[in-house]
Amino acid sequence: MVWTVLQTRGTDVLCAELPHEWLGASRWKFASGFTTNNGSMGLKEFIQANRGDELTIFPSYRVFCSCVQRSVRNWKRPTLKLLEHYYIQTRSTSHHLISMVLAGSKSTRVERFFTTTTDRVLGKLKEAALRELELLLQHEARPYTQDPRLYEELDRLRQRALHARLEAALPRGDKYGMVSLADVSKALEGVSMGPFAMPSDDREALEMEAALRAYLEVASHRFVDVVPMKLNGLLLDTFLREMESELLGAATDEKVAELLREDADKTARRLQLLNQVSTFEKGMMIIDMSEF
């Protein structure tokens, strides 16, 4: 029978089918030949399928790398979502600034030039940032760190699991706080011998899970710090420099004259109005002369 695990506490598990009772190591084992709803293997089965020729008495670095890669793949979607957010906000802010600065000019040609230049520069920088983030994800897929917090985190997880098992196993005592020495000895024996009552492949899966949690805790903090710094540099800082370069490069006499040149419709309308003014002036002169 396969049960759904809600929580783990060291080698003890709490299942949905028995939500009020923690099951010790002797009362459960990893399911074999079982896949989750999304078709992915459980950790124990994944280790068995990917160990290769490595000895079972040692934690498999190959399997560890594969598990890290599976986790890092889940980082891609929020990373690209953050990139899209940077792009949309920068583009929206730039367009709003352009419309505010040129609000009184009524020059659609100039506004169109600024917006198209903004979109072109931002699009190019977005592609460059995407390539950089893809490379960063590739690097993160290979486990590596010299951060001493990795060992501290692993020890913390193990100590927390041991503390939870002790807290659950030790007798509560009577109303005077007294406990039976035999009960304490029995509880300590159960806690200390619990992991050894498990099959070796189950113990290996638990050790692998603890190592993965410790490493991903450290690596995820590093990744969360690096990505915004990368985007700040690749999009925001570079965008300002690229826009300055583009606008200075376009500030030639010919380009400025082209941007400030009136539309053909406005030119024709001006000539029409000037002709009307000239006609009215001639008419006024004729009227003035006819009075004499």
Side-chain angles (χ1 to χ4, degrees):
M1 179 184 299
V2 177
W3 284 6
T4 303
V5 176
L6 298 177
Q7 298 180 44
T8 61
R9 189 173 62 189
T11 57
D12 299 340
V13 297
L14 185 67
C15 299
E17 292 76 8
L18 204 62
H20 304 296
E21 182 178 353
W22 287 89
L23 304 180
S26 61
R27 300 179 60 190
W28 68 271
K29 65 179 181 178
F30 282 97
S32 59
F34 174 72
T35 56
T36 59
N37 292 334
N38 59 6
S40 61
M41 292 183 179
L43 181 57
K44 174 183 172 181
E45 191 173 20
F46 186 80
I47 292 174
Q48 294 173 347
N50 294 275
R51 173 176 290 282
D53 57 356
E54 296 183 9
L55 296 177
T56 57
I57 60 175
F58 300 107
S60 173
Y61 178 72
R62 178 186 302 172
V63 174
F64 182 81
C65 291
S66 299
C67 292
V68 169
Q69 290 170 8
R70 292 202 301 176
S71 297
V72 169
R73 281 197 292 267
N74 295 329
W75 298 357
K76 183 174 182 178
R77 183 177 179 182
T79 301
L80 298 184
K81 186 176 180 180
L82 181 61
L83 170 61
E84 188 67 21
H85 179 74
Y86 265 74
Y87 171 77
I88 291 174
Q89 291 299 318
T90 305
R91 183 175 182 271
S92 175
T93 302
S94 300
H95 283 199
H96 178 70
L97 180 62
I98 292 169
S99 62
M100 292 294 292
V101 171
L102 301 177
S105 68
K106 298 181 180 180
S107 176
T108 58
R109 184 180 289 107
V110 175
E111 184 172 351
R112 186 166 57 250
F113 167 74
F114 275 100
T115 54
T116 54
T117 303
T118 296
D119 292 344
R120 176 166 50 81
V121 171
L122 263 182
K124 181 177 66 175
L125 294 179
K126 181 183 178 182
E127 292 297 325
L130 179 60
R131 291 191 296 270
E132 189 70 22
L133 292 179
E134 292 281 1
L135 185 61
L136 183 61
L137 285 167
Q138 290 179 16
H139 290 165
E140 288 292 344
R142 183 182 184 276
Y144 176 80
T145 183
Q146 292 185 347
D147 194 333
R149 289 181 302 165
L150 173 61
Y151 305 100
E152 297 172 3
E153 182 65 22
L154 184 57
D155 288 341
R156 187 185 66 83
L157 290 174
R158 288 171 173 168
Q159 291 172 11
R160 186 175 65 182
L162 177 59
H163 182 270
R165 293 202 304 272
L166 287 172
E167 186 177 5
L170 290 175
R172 299 301 177 187
D174 56 19
K175 61 181 180 179
Y176 301 107
M178 305 294 290
V179 295
S180 169
L181 182 59
D183 292 341
V184 173
S185 299
K186 183 179 179 181
L188 291 177
E189 181 181 0
V191 170
S192 61
M193 296 301 296
F196 299 101
M198 302 173 62
S200 59
D201 50 358
D202 288 347
R203 290 168 56 190
E204 182 183 19
L206 282 178
E207 283 296 314
M208 183 67 71
E209 181 182 10
L212 283 170
R213 287 186 177 182
Y215 176 78
L216 292 174
E217 179 70 19
V218 173
S220 61
H221 283 290
R222 175 184 63 208
F223 189 76
V224 166
D225 281 341
V226 168
V227 170
M229 289 191 295
K230 287 279 188 183
L231 293 179
N232 286 341
L234 293 171
L235 271 185
L236 302 185
D237 297 340
T238 308
F239 174 66
L240 295 177
R241 293 195 299 269
E242 289 290 326
M243 283 298 295
E244 181 180 8
S245 177
E246 287 282 339
L247 296 178
L248 289 176
T252 61
D253 293 341
E254 294 80 6
K255 187 63 177 180
V256 172
E258 178 186 351
L259 291 175
L260 298 180
R261 178 173 52 84
E262 287 185 328
D263 296 335
D265 294 340
K266 287 186 177 181
T267 302
R269 179 60 175 165
R270 174 177 283 103
L271 292 176
Q272 180 183 1
L273 293 175
L274 289 174
N275 290 333
Q276 289 180 358
V277 170
S278 177
T279 301
F280 291 151
E281 289 177 345
K282 290 178 180 179
M284 289 181 62
M285 291 177 60
I286 294 173
I287 293 173
D288 291 340
M289 292 176 62
S290 65
E291 293 180 356
F292 299 99

